[in-house]
Amino acid sequence: MGNLIFMGPPGAGKGTQAVRLANALGLVHLSTGDLLRNAIKEKTELGMKAKSFMDRGDLVPDSVMIDMVMEPVRQAVAQSGFILDGFPRTLAQAKALDKAFLDEGIEVSSVIHLHCDDEVIVKRLSGRRVCPVSNQVFHITDNPPKVAGFSDAAPGVALVLRDDDQEHVIRRRLEVYRENTLPILEHYRGARGVVAVDGLLPVDTVTELIMNSLQVK
Ligand code: ADP
Ligand code: AMP
Protein backbone atom coordinates (compact mmCIF):
# COMPACT_ATOMS: atom_id res chain seq x y z
CA MET A 1 0.00 0.00 0.00
CA GLY A 2 1.90 3.05 -1.17
CA ASN A 3 1.48 6.52 -2.65
CA LEU A 4 -1.28 8.29 -0.77
CA ILE A 5 -2.46 11.89 -1.22
CA PHE A 6 -3.92 13.65 1.84
CA MET A 7 -6.26 16.52 1.07
CA GLY A 8 -8.15 18.83 3.43
CA PRO A 9 -8.12 22.34 4.87
CA PRO A 10 -5.28 23.63 7.04
CA GLY A 11 -5.73 22.18 10.53
CA ALA A 12 -7.79 19.16 9.48
CA GLY A 13 -5.05 16.88 10.83
CA LYS A 14 -3.20 15.93 7.62
CA GLY A 15 0.27 16.22 9.16
CA THR A 16 -0.74 14.43 12.37
CA GLN A 17 -2.21 11.52 10.42
CA ALA A 18 0.52 11.45 7.78
CA VAL A 19 3.22 10.92 10.42
CA ARG A 20 1.24 8.05 11.99
CA LEU A 21 0.44 6.37 8.69
CA ALA A 22 3.97 6.84 7.36
CA ASN A 23 5.32 5.08 10.47
CA ALA A 24 2.73 2.32 10.34
CA LEU A 25 3.08 1.63 6.61
CA GLY A 26 6.75 2.47 6.09
CA LEU A 27 5.99 5.33 3.69
CA VAL A 28 7.84 8.63 3.23
CA HIS A 29 5.90 11.64 4.59
CA LEU A 30 6.27 14.56 2.16
CA SER A 31 4.84 17.80 3.54
CA THR A 32 5.35 20.69 1.14
CA GLY A 33 4.79 23.10 4.06
CA ASP A 34 7.67 21.44 5.96
CA LEU A 35 9.90 21.51 2.85
CA LEU A 36 9.22 25.25 2.49
CA ARG A 37 9.78 25.99 6.20
CA ASN A 38 13.08 24.06 6.06
CA ALA A 39 14.09 26.14 3.02
CA ILE A 40 13.29 29.33 4.97
CA LYS A 41 15.35 28.11 7.93
CA GLU A 42 18.27 27.38 5.61
CA LYS A 43 17.80 30.78 3.91
CA THR A 44 17.85 29.25 0.44
CA GLU A 45 16.68 31.22 -2.61
CA LEU A 46 13.48 29.14 -2.62
CA GLY A 47 12.88 29.91 1.06
CA MET A 48 13.34 33.67 0.54
CA LYS A 49 10.90 33.59 -2.37
CA ALA A 50 8.28 31.59 -0.43
CA LYS A 51 8.30 33.38 2.93
CA SER A 52 6.19 36.45 2.14
CA PHE A 53 3.48 34.33 0.48
CA MET A 54 3.37 31.98 3.46
CA ASP A 55 3.28 34.76 6.07
CA ARG A 56 0.22 36.26 4.33
CA GLY A 57 -1.51 32.88 4.08
CA ASP A 58 -1.28 32.91 0.28
CA LEU A 59 -0.07 30.08 -1.91
CA VAL A 60 3.48 29.93 -3.20
CA PRO A 61 3.39 30.13 -7.04
CA ASP A 62 2.66 26.87 -8.88
CA SER A 63 5.87 26.83 -10.92
CA VAL A 64 7.99 26.99 -7.74
CA MET A 65 5.97 24.25 -6.05
CA ILE A 66 5.89 21.86 -9.01
CA ASP A 67 9.67 22.17 -9.44
CA MET A 68 10.18 21.63 -5.72
CA VAL A 69 8.05 18.54 -5.23
CA MET A 70 8.89 16.19 -8.10
CA GLU A 71 12.38 15.13 -7.05
CA PRO A 72 11.39 14.22 -3.45
CA VAL A 73 8.38 12.34 -4.89
CA ARG A 74 10.64 10.32 -7.21
CA GLN A 75 12.99 9.52 -4.34
CA ALA A 76 10.09 8.38 -2.14
CA VAL A 77 8.75 6.16 -4.93
CA ALA A 78 12.20 4.58 -5.29
CA GLN A 79 12.14 3.78 -1.55
CA SER A 80 8.71 2.64 -0.39
CA GLY A 81 6.13 5.16 -1.57
CA PHE A 82 4.87 8.54 -0.36
CA ILE A 83 2.20 10.30 1.61
CA LEU A 84 1.77 13.71 0.01
CA ASP A 85 0.56 16.25 2.59
CA GLY A 86 -0.22 19.76 1.36
CA PHE A 87 0.27 19.08 -2.35
CA PRO A 88 -1.48 19.51 -4.76
CA ARG A 89 -3.21 22.72 -3.66
CA THR A 90 -4.32 24.08 -7.05
CA LEU A 91 -5.84 22.51 -10.13
CA ALA A 92 -2.65 23.35 -12.06
CA GLN A 93 -0.57 21.45 -9.48
CA ALA A 94 -2.97 18.47 -9.63
CA LYS A 95 -2.76 18.37 -13.42
CA ALA A 96 1.05 18.67 -13.41
CA LEU A 97 1.17 15.77 -10.94
CA ASP A 98 -1.22 13.68 -13.08
CA LYS A 99 0.97 14.24 -16.12
CA ALA A 100 4.24 13.45 -14.34
CA PHE A 101 2.74 10.30 -12.81
CA LEU A 102 1.38 9.17 -16.18
CA ASP A 103 4.74 9.80 -17.89
CA GLU A 104 6.68 8.01 -15.15
CA GLY A 105 4.27 5.14 -14.48
CA ILE A 106 3.61 6.17 -10.87
CA GLU A 107 0.26 5.06 -9.43
CA VAL A 108 -1.63 6.69 -6.57
CA SER A 109 -3.30 4.13 -4.27
CA SER A 110 -5.70 6.49 -2.56
CA VAL A 111 -6.74 10.14 -2.24
CA ILE A 112 -7.99 10.84 1.28
CA HIS A 113 -10.01 13.93 2.13
CA LEU A 114 -9.99 14.93 5.80
CA HIS A 115 -12.82 17.38 6.34
CA CYS A 116 -13.26 19.74 9.27
CA ASP A 117 -15.19 22.84 10.45
CA ASP A 118 -13.79 26.37 10.19
CA GLU A 119 -14.27 27.24 13.87
CA VAL A 120 -12.61 24.01 15.01
CA ILE A 121 -9.76 24.77 12.63
CA VAL A 122 -9.21 28.23 14.11
CA LYS A 123 -9.11 26.71 17.61
CA ARG A 124 -6.77 23.92 16.54
CA LEU A 125 -4.32 26.13 14.69
CA SER A 126 -4.24 28.86 17.37
CA GLY A 127 -3.27 26.14 19.88
CA ARG A 128 -0.89 24.27 17.57
CA ARG A 129 2.76 24.24 18.61
CA VAL A 130 5.51 22.71 16.52
CA CYS A 131 8.98 21.41 17.22
CA PRO A 132 11.33 23.52 15.04
CA VAL A 133 13.83 20.64 14.85
CA SER A 134 11.69 17.53 14.16
CA ASN A 135 8.52 19.26 12.79
CA GLN A 136 6.54 17.19 15.35
CA VAL A 137 3.09 18.76 15.90
CA PHE A 138 1.30 19.28 19.24
CA HIS A 139 -1.73 21.13 20.58
CA ILE A 140 -1.52 22.98 23.90
CA THR A 141 -4.62 21.27 25.30
CA ASP A 142 -5.74 18.52 22.89
CA ASN A 143 -2.38 16.92 22.15
CA PRO A 144 0.09 18.31 24.69
CA PRO A 145 3.77 17.34 24.82
CA LYS A 146 5.06 15.38 27.85
CA VAL A 147 6.71 18.55 29.23
CA ALA A 148 4.63 21.71 28.60
CA GLY A 149 6.28 23.97 26.03
CA PHE A 150 8.97 21.46 25.01
CA SER A 151 9.33 18.90 22.24
CA ASP A 152 9.10 15.15 22.87
CA ALA A 153 11.19 14.19 19.85
CA ALA A 154 13.98 16.69 20.56
CA PRO A 155 14.27 17.00 24.38
CA GLY A 156 15.00 20.53 25.61
CA VAL A 157 13.88 22.17 22.34
CA ALA A 158 11.17 24.80 22.93
CA LEU A 159 8.01 24.47 20.84
CA VAL A 160 7.03 27.43 18.61
CA LEU A 161 3.86 28.99 17.24
CA ARG A 162 4.06 29.09 13.44
CA ASP A 163 4.11 32.62 11.96
CA ASP A 164 0.98 31.78 9.94
CA ASP A 165 -1.00 30.31 12.87
CA GLN A 166 -2.50 33.68 13.86
CA GLU A 167 -6.23 34.10 13.51
CA HIS A 168 -6.25 36.62 10.64
CA VAL A 169 -3.80 34.52 8.62
CA ILE A 170 -5.70 31.31 9.43
CA ARG A 171 -8.90 32.88 8.04
CA ARG A 172 -7.06 33.93 4.87
CA ARG A 173 -5.72 30.36 4.47
CA LEU A 174 -9.27 29.02 4.75
CA GLU A 175 -10.42 31.40 1.99
CA VAL A 176 -7.49 30.35 -0.19
CA TYR A 177 -8.34 26.68 0.47
CA ARG A 178 -11.95 27.15 -0.61
CA GLU A 179 -11.05 29.11 -3.70
CA ASN A 180 -8.03 27.17 -4.98
CA THR A 181 -7.90 23.74 -3.37
CA LEU A 182 -11.50 22.53 -3.03
CA PRO A 183 -11.95 22.33 -6.83
CA ILE A 184 -9.22 19.66 -6.94
CA LEU A 185 -11.50 17.32 -5.01
CA GLU A 186 -14.01 17.45 -7.88
CA HIS A 187 -11.17 16.71 -10.28
CA TYR A 188 -10.13 13.62 -8.29
CA ARG A 189 -13.72 12.51 -7.68
CA GLY A 190 -14.31 12.48 -11.42
CA ALA A 191 -11.04 10.77 -12.25
CA ARG A 192 -10.57 8.17 -9.54
CA GLY A 193 -12.64 8.58 -6.36
CA VAL A 194 -11.84 10.17 -3.04
CA VAL A 195 -12.13 8.65 0.46
CA ALA A 196 -13.81 11.15 2.82
CA VAL A 197 -12.85 10.94 6.51
CA ASP A 198 -14.30 13.06 9.34
CA GLY A 199 -11.35 15.05 10.72
CA LEU A 200 -13.41 16.16 13.74
CA LEU A 201 -13.13 12.69 15.29
CA PRO A 202 -10.38 11.86 17.81
CA VAL A 203 -6.89 11.36 16.39
CA ASP A 204 -6.87 7.55 16.98
CA THR A 205 -10.29 7.12 15.38
CA VAL A 206 -9.22 9.08 12.30
CA THR A 207 -6.13 6.87 11.95
CA GLU A 208 -8.27 3.76 12.24
CA LEU A 209 -10.75 4.99 9.62
CA ILE A 210 -7.95 5.75 7.17
CA MET A 211 -6.33 2.36 7.82
CA ASN A 212 -9.69 0.63 7.29
CA SER A 213 -10.22 2.49 4.02
CA LEU A 214 -6.85 1.17 2.85
CA GLN A 215 -7.80 -2.30 4.07
CA VAL A 216 -4.65 -2.47 6.17
CA LYS A 217 -5.00 -4.51 9.37
P1 ADP B 1 -2.76 20.01 9.05
O1 ADP B 1 -1.49 19.26 8.73
O2 ADP B 1 -3.96 19.48 8.30
O3 ADP B 1 -2.62 21.50 8.91
P2 ADP B 1 -2.17 19.24 11.82
O4 ADP B 1 -1.99 17.76 11.72
O5 ADP B 1 -0.95 20.08 11.98
O6 ADP B 1 -3.11 19.77 10.59
O7 ADP B 1 -3.18 19.51 13.04
C1 ADP B 1 -3.54 20.84 13.43
C2 ADP B 1 -3.69 20.91 14.96
O8 ADP B 1 -4.82 20.13 15.37
C3 ADP B 1 -2.50 20.36 15.75
O9 ADP B 1 -2.31 21.15 16.90
C4 ADP B 1 -2.90 18.93 16.10
O10 ADP B 1 -2.31 18.50 17.33
C5 ADP B 1 -4.42 19.07 16.26
N1 ADP B 1 -5.18 17.89 15.80
C6 ADP B 1 -4.93 17.13 14.70
N2 ADP B 1 -5.86 16.16 14.55
C7 ADP B 1 -6.74 16.33 15.59
C8 ADP B 1 -7.93 15.64 16.00
N3 ADP B 1 -8.42 14.60 15.30
N4 ADP B 1 -8.57 16.10 17.12
C9 ADP B 1 -8.08 17.16 17.82
N5 ADP B 1 -6.96 17.84 17.49
C10 ADP B 1 -6.28 17.44 16.38
P1 AMP C 1 1.06 23.84 5.41
O1 AMP C 1 2.27 23.51 6.24
O2 AMP C 1 0.61 22.70 4.54
O3 AMP C 1 -0.07 24.41 6.26
O4 AMP C 1 1.51 25.00 4.41
C1 AMP C 1 1.93 26.25 4.89
C2 AMP C 1 2.03 27.26 3.76
O5 AMP C 1 3.01 26.83 2.81
C3 AMP C 1 0.75 27.48 2.94
O6 AMP C 1 -0.14 28.41 3.54
C4 AMP C 1 1.35 28.00 1.61
O7 AMP C 1 1.74 29.37 1.73
C5 AMP C 1 2.63 27.17 1.47
N1 AMP C 1 2.39 25.92 0.71
C6 AMP C 1 2.51 24.64 1.18
N2 AMP C 1 2.21 23.76 0.21
C7 AMP C 1 1.89 24.49 -0.89
C8 AMP C 1 1.47 24.16 -2.21
N3 AMP C 1 1.30 22.89 -2.60
N4 AMP C 1 1.22 25.18 -3.08
C9 AMP C 1 1.37 26.46 -2.71
N5 AMP C 1 1.76 26.85 -1.48
C10 AMP C 1 2.02 25.87 -0.56
Side-chain angles (χ1 to χ4, degrees), residues 12 69 77 86 100 102 107 111 122 135 168 172 188 203 206 213:
V69 85
V77 170
L102 191 67
E107 296 213 357
V111 176
V122 172
N135 293 321
H168 70 285
R172 171 70 191 144
Y188 281 140
V203 173
V206 175
S213 82

Side-chain angles (χ1 to χ4, degrees), residues 30-37 65 68-69 85-87 89:
L30 284 178
S31 154
T32 45
D34 284 348
L35 292 175
L36 291 167
R37 282 183 290 278
M65 295 308 301
M68 186 188 88
V69 85
D85 157 16
F87 190 98
R89 257 180 160 99

Side-chain angles (χ1 to χ4, degrees), residues 51-80:
K51 187 169 181 355
S52 60
F53 293 99
M54 293 171 76
D55 285 349
R56 288 195 302 270
D58 287 337
L59 295 178
V60 175
D62 284 336
S63 56
V64 176
M65 295 308 301
I66 294 164
D67 281 354
M68 186 188 88
V69 85
M70 276 320 294
E71 198 43 42
V73 164
R74 284 190 195 101
Q75 284 173 16
V77 170
Q79 292 174 39
S80 47

Side-chain angles (χ1 to χ4, degrees), residues 30-145:
L30 284 178
S31 154
T32 45
D34 284 348
L35 292 175
L36 291 167
R37 282 183 290 278
N38 289 341
I40 291 173
K41 235 183 285 169
E42 286 162 17
K43 298 192 164 51
T44 65
E45 202 178 316
L46 168 74
M48 316 278 228
K49 210 187 268 183
K51 187 169 181 355
S52 60
F53 293 99
M54 293 171 76
D55 285 349
R56 288 195 302 270
D58 287 337
L59 295 178
V60 175
D62 284 336
S63 56
V64 176
M65 295 308 301
I66 294 164
D67 281 354
M68 186 188 88
V69 85
M70 276 320 294
E71 198 43 42
V73 164
R74 284 190 195 101
Q75 284 173 16
V77 170
Q79 292 174 39
S80 47
F82 57 76
I83 300 182
L84 260 178
D85 157 16
F87 190 98
R89 257 180 160 99
T90 65
L91 211 46
Q93 291 178 13
K95 288 183 176 167
L97 203 60
D98 287 350
K99 182 174 181 320
F101 285 177
L102 191 67
D103 289 350
E104 300 181 32
I106 297 171
E107 296 213 357
V108 175
S109 309
S110 191
V111 176
I112 292 159
H113 173 213
L114 277 178
H115 52 92
C116 204
D117 282 359
D118 282 10
E119 292 319 309
V120 173
I121 286 170
V122 172
K123 181 174 163 284
R124 282 188 184 177
L125 294 186
S126 310
R128 172 162 69 180
R129 297 292 182 275
V130 295
C131 169
V133 173
S134 67
N135 293 321
Q136 197 180 3
V137 173
F138 300 90
H139 189 277
I140 47 177
T141 52
D142 299 352
N143 176 26

